[in-house]
Amino acid sequence: GPPGHQGREVQDTPGQAAPSTLGGVEPPDLRARRSEVEVAVLRRRLAGRVLDFPTLMAGWTRISEAGEDFDGPWFGLSWNLPLFDRNQGERHEWSRALAVAEARLELAERERDRRRTAALQAYAALRTSLMEVAGVVEDADEVAAAAGVSFLAGESSMTDLLETLRAVLESQLDALELQARTLAAHRELELSAGRPLTRGDP
């Protein structure tokens, strides 16, 4: 008959229950969007400065006066004082860039939340189904053994025995396929969280 240990394997491997929430590491695409916002904020703040830093100038000069020559170093500052525009164009440009960056960040956060919710729901549903099937598969040994005893006692035909064994084998294969899908859903859940999930998760 079918190997009797498979039912116990299926029963023991659903893994922990789906956590209620997913924390974890922020995905790289979301971190990139957040960095874009930070850069736009800094650039807009920089463009909002009314005064630029002065430019330091230095040189060597010679002055002739009343028949005498004087020479030596000189130093000076060059300081631009904007009276009208005051970087308004650049401020407007970075204000628009900030609005775009914030919109992209919001979309990325929504997409992350959508992926996490879908992964949580898929894993929870598959795990529930697997645990429901596990109890049925666990009885596969007894069903196969009972069919064999019935056949040997002349209470059933060879066709009945083979049909029973086929049904038992199919149930075990279906359970193993469901187990594989559940494990794949758990891996997707960890990818959404950006970290391994443990039994201590909420």
Side-chain angles (χ1 to χ4, degrees):
H5 64 279
Q6 292 186 4
R8 287 188 292 276
E9 286 181 353
V10 171
Q11 185 183 24
D12 292 341
T13 51
Q16 72 268 24
S20 57
T21 57
L22 289 178
V25 180
E26 198 170 54
D29 59 335
L30 198 56
R31 291 201 300 270
R33 295 304 184 193
R34 202 174 299 284
S35 296
E36 289 177 358
V37 172
E38 294 172 356
V39 169
V41 168
L42 293 176
R43 292 301 298 266
R44 188 182 66 171
R45 186 180 304 168
L46 182 64
R49 290 188 298 106
V50 175
L51 299 178
D52 292 329
F53 290 106
T55 301
L56 177 63
M57 296 179 295
W60 192 273
T61 186
R62 172 172 292 183
I63 301 175
S64 297
E65 184 177 350
E68 296 185 4
D69 294 333
F70 302 93
D71 62 337
W74 64 270
F75 302 92
L77 293 176
S78 175
W79 206 336
N80 295 324
L81 301 177
L83 299 179
F84 300 103
D85 180 71
R86 296 189 179 184
N87 290 334
Q88 289 184 12
E90 189 174 357
R91 282 203 309 276
H92 290 160
E93 177 183 350
W94 282 107
S95 293
R96 289 193 297 269
L98 175 59
V100 171
E102 289 176 337
R104 289 176 175 172
L105 174 60
E106 183 179 357
L107 288 175
E109 289 175 336
R110 289 182 180 179
E111 177 62 17
R112 175 205 58 189
D113 294 341
R114 185 197 65 78
R115 290 198 305 264
R116 288 184 172 184
T117 299
L120 277 169
Q121 292 175 347
Y123 175 69
L126 286 169
R127 184 176 182 275
T128 299
S129 298
L130 182 59
M131 295 191 70
E132 292 173 351
V133 169
V136 177
V137 176
E138 188 178 12
D139 297 332
D141 288 347
E142 296 179 4
V143 172
V149 171
S150 177
F151 172 73
L152 292 176
E155 298 175 357
S156 61
S157 65
M158 176 65 74
T159 301
D160 294 333
L161 174 61
L162 294 178
E163 182 63 24
T164 300
L165 295 179
R166 182 190 64 81
V168 168
L169 181 59
E170 285 185 355
S171 67
Q172 291 182 332
L173 293 176
D174 289 343
L176 289 174
E177 181 181 355
L178 182 58
Q179 181 184 23
R181 291 173 58 193
T182 303
L183 293 175
H186 189 267
R187 286 194 295 271
E188 183 64 28
L189 198 60
E190 291 185 324
L191 289 175
S192 299
R195 63 183 176 88
L197 297 179
T198 65
R199 294 184 183 273
D201 288 311

